[in-house]
């Protein structure tokens, strides 16, 4: 596989291999070792939206593996698809660097980059999906639940890019997902259908957060207002009332339920400060695992 654009396109065996590689590189680096497999190689990191975790963890993953990274802001290159066509950007990048990582609004931008680049292209979040996040999440779930197969995940909130990639990961890797969203913010029917065709009954949608968490091993949430939706902030905050992950909702779940959030979190909205800080919150392990998963991904695609 040349690119990493969406979990739905990846064979389950490749995802399993990436998880094994993430775990082995994690223990290698935690033990003070290294693997300089990307020595002399460079990753271009193109960001149309802000980022803390993705930017820092990809940069570090490249330098850990002996390579380098260049951060590219759209304003510096005259915008994406504005000063020149995306296909020309893809071709030119391919003459200079060994891989392209892109965070864009439209998913079509990363697929077009991948179509015309001769080097690997990685989706670092689009409006449609966030596959690197979902794979780091699965790694975190495996560490904390001791397994992936059969894990019950309750996602409470917006049926957005993060929810969609989690749904794909569940279908590929044998987890079960219940998404609880207010009416009008559900995960799209096409995603649910595709995932359930892949693995029957792996994803279900409800409008009742309490029902979603009742048997959950993990409660997961994400912002109600994704990047690019700032104009809808007030309406969204009103529409999502009742979908907050708070102590009351956590009480409706099994006592050992784990709490996850991809971050950045808007405390007091989709999640309370109290729940974020609970001992069963594994939110920062999730953030750390972005680095461990992406080292494995870069090694697999670029070495
Ligand atoms: N979770 C995540 O992708 O964070 P950033 O937007 O900070 O990269
Ligand atoms: N759904 C969020 C995820 C941020 C990592 C967004 O797209 O802004």
């Amino acid at each position: 596989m040349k690119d990493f654009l969406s979990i739905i396109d990846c064979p389950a065996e490749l995802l399993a291999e990436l998880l094994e590689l993430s775990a082995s590189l994690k223990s290698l680096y935690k033990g003070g070792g290294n693997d300089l497999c990307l020595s002399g190689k460079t990753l271009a990191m193109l960001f149309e939206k802000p980022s803390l975790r993705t930017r820092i963890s990809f940069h570090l993953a490249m330098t850990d593996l002996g390579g380098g990274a260049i951060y590219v802001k759209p304003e510096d290159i005259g915008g994406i698809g504005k000063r020149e066509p995306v296909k020309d950007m893809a071709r030119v990048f391919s003459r200079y660097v060994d891989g392209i990582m892109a965070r864009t609004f439209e998913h079509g931008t990363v697929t077009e980059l991948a179509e015309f680049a001769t080097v690997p292209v990685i989706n670092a979040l689009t409006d449609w999906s966030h596959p690197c996040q979902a794979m780091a999440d699965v790694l975190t779930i495996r560490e904390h639940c001791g397994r992936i197969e059969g894990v019950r995940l309750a996602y409470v909130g917006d049926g957005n890019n993060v929810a969609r990639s989690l749904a794909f990961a569940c279908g590929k890797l044998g987890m079960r997902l219940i998404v609880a969203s207010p009416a009008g913010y559900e995960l799209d029917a096409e995603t649910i259908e595709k995932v359930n065709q892949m693995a029957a009954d792996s994803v279900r949608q409800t409008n009742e957060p309490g029902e979603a968490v009742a048997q959950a091993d993990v409660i997961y949430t994400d912002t109600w207002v994704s990047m690019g939706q700032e104009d809808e902030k007030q309406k969204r905050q009103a529409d999502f009332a009742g979908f907050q992950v708070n102590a009351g909702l956590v009480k409706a779940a099994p006592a050992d339920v784990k709490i996850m959030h991809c971050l950045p979190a808007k405390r007091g909205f989709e999640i309370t400060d109290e729940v974020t800080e609970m001992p069963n919150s594994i939110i920062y392990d999730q953030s750390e695992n972005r680095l461990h998963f992406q080292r494995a991904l870069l090694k697999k695609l670029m070495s």
Side-chain angles (χ1 to χ4, degrees):
M1 214 177 76
K2 176 177 140 313
D3 310 300
F4 187 70
L5 303 183
S6 170
I7 289 176
I8 193 113
D9 304 327
C10 293
E13 299 69 37
L14 174 66
L15 299 174
E17 182 191 338
L18 286 169
L19 289 170
E20 288 313 317
L21 188 57
S22 304
S24 69
L25 286 173
K26 181 171 180 174
S27 72
L28 175 73
Y29 278 83
K30 291 261 180 199
N34 64 26
D35 174 350
L36 303 179
C37 59
L38 297 186
S39 170
K41 302 219 168 163
T42 305
L43 178 73
M45 308 196 304
L46 185 59
F47 280 94
E48 238 183 339
K49 303 179 180 183
S51 169
L52 188 165
R53 281 144 290 271
T54 308
R55 177 178 176 179
I56 307 295
S57 57
F58 263 106
H59 192 132
L60 280 175
M62 275 308 291
T63 52
D64 280 351
L65 297 172
I70 301 174
Y71 177 66
V72 186
K73 279 197 292 193
E75 326 54 304
D76 293 345
I77 56 167
I80 295 182
K82 290 190 181 127
R83 185 162 174 257
E84 58 193 310
V86 171
K87 61 183 174 186
D88 278 355
M89 288 172 55
R91 289 166 173 145
V92 173
F93 270 126
S94 300
R95 301 295 176 104
Y96 297 139
V97 297
D98 307 282
I100 303 167
M101 187 227 77
R103 168 170 288 194
T104 63
F105 288 97
E106 285 178 30
H107 188 71
T109 307
V110 295
T111 55
E112 194 177 350
L113 282 170
E115 186 183 347
F116 292 95
T118 54
V119 298
V121 175
I122 296 170
N123 173 0
L125 182 149
T126 65
D127 289 348
W128 190 71
S129 66
H130 198 2
C132 295
Q133 180 69 54
M135 289 305 290
D137 297 339
V138 176
L139 183 64
T140 314
I141 288 169
R142 190 171 74 167
E143 289 170 352
H144 285 275
C145 299
R147 67 190 204 289
I148 298 171
E149 185 84 34
V151 166
R152 285 168 298 196
L153 195 58
Y155 177 97
V156 180
D158 193 12
N160 63 12
N161 46 5
V162 168
R164 188 170 294 103
S165 287
L166 280 173
F168 292 152
C170 287
K172 291 276 178 179
L173 298 167
M175 296 188 294
R176 275 179 292 159
L177 175 67
I178 303 184
V179 181
S181 319
Y185 297 95
E186 293 98 343
L187 197 53
D188 63 292
E190 192 188 335
T191 294
I192 296 183
E193 201 182 304
K194 264 192 192 163
V195 173
N196 286 336
Q197 271 168 7
M198 198 158 48
D201 302 323
S202 34
V203 185
R204 194 157 67 75
Q205 178 78 53
T206 172
N207 302 117
E208 293 294 332
E211 180 200 328
V213 304
Q215 296 193 306
D217 298 300
V218 176
I219 299 176
Y220 195 121
T221 190
D222 179 23
T223 184
W224 295 337
V225 187
S226 284
M227 293 178 278
Q229 297 174 333
E230 292 77 9
D231 291 350
E232 299 169 32
K233 186 170 156 185
Q234 276 195 327
K235 179 173 169 30
R236 285 178 162 266
Q237 287 176 349
D239 291 348
F240 279 89
F243 287 78
Q244 184 183 64
V245 176
N246 54 31
L249 187 66
V250 173
K251 274 209 191 81
D256 60 348
V257 71
K258 311 283 185 290
I259 308 298
M260 297 181 76
H261 191 309
C262 59
L263 300 180
K266 265 265 180 269
R267 293 179 185 212
F269 291 90
E270 75 275 6
I271 193 165
T272 57
D273 190 59
E274 184 185 4
V275 171
T276 312
E277 302 293 341
M278 278 171 91
N280 42 350
S281 156
I282 55 171
I283 290 173
Y284 305 102
D285 293 340
Q286 261 182 281
S287 299
E288 181 186 327
N289 278 336
R290 294 292 306 278
L291 169 64
H292 303 302
F293 170 71
Q294 287 155 201
R295 265 203 223 103
L297 180 66
L298 292 168
K299 178 178 164 87
K300 178 76 187 162
L301 293 182
M302 287 172 64
S303 70

